[in-house]
Amino acid sequence: MAHDCVFCKIAAGEIPSSKVYEDEHVLAFRDINPVAPVHVLVIPKQHVPSVAEFGPEHDELLSRLFSAVRKVAAETGVAETGYRVVTNVGKDAGQQVFHVHLHVLGGRPLGPVA
Ligand code: AMP
């Protein structure tokens, strides 16, 4: 666990979250400040700062993350209506938490990207 990482603490159960999906490697929980009716964050339990740090050793984890995204979409009722998957990297993207997370957004028409 990375020192002082809020998402590591959520993954460890030290900070509560509104859980949507969990398995051995991945956790999905509702964003505390939702910008759409469905706004879920999908994170690896392992600490990786952003997708910029992903390498070939993370291929299986990447697949697990997107598998969890599909489960979250089904669980939250947006699998048929559609949804957006976003991940922020660095300053210009406004990344606030430096532990990889995929935002799963849906439940309303989302408009153009950015
Ligand atoms: P980003 O700007 O991509 O780093 O997004 C970080 C997201 O984490 C924001 O949408 C925050 O609302 C969300 N967030 C921060 N702390 C928590 C928390 N304790 N529980 C749920 N979501 C959180």
Side-chain angles (χ1 to χ4, degrees), residues 11 15-17 19 28 34 38-39 44 47 49 59 64-66 75-78 81 92 105 111:
I15 293 177
S17 68
K19 203 181 295 180
V38 171
H39 188 171
H47 185 82
D59 282 355
R64 290 181 189 281
L65 285 169
F66 278 94
E75 184 68 28
T76 57
V78 299
T81 49
D92 280 359
L105 302 160

Side-chain angles (χ1 to χ4, degrees), residues 5-8 10-11 15-23 25-45 64-73 76 78 83-88 94-106:
C5 170
V6 63
F7 286 179
C8 281
I10 286 175
I15 293 177
S17 68
S18 176
K19 203 181 295 180
V20 177
Y21 171 78
E22 181 171 20
D23 63 32
H25 302 280
V26 176
L27 177 68
F29 54 94
R30 302 220 179 240
D31 196 292
I32 205 167
N33 187 22
V35 299
V38 171
H39 188 171
V40 174
L41 303 175
V42 177
I43 68 166
K45 291 186 174 178
R64 290 181 189 281
L65 285 169
F66 278 94
S67 174
V69 166
R70 291 192 294 277
K71 286 171 180 151
V72 165
T76 57
V78 299
Y83 54 95
R84 180 172 290 156
V85 183
V86 176
T87 191
N88 291 315
Q95 184 178 2
Q96 296 169 357
V97 178
F98 287 82
H99 179 129
V100 168
H101 50 284
L102 305 180
H103 296 257
V104 180
L105 302 160

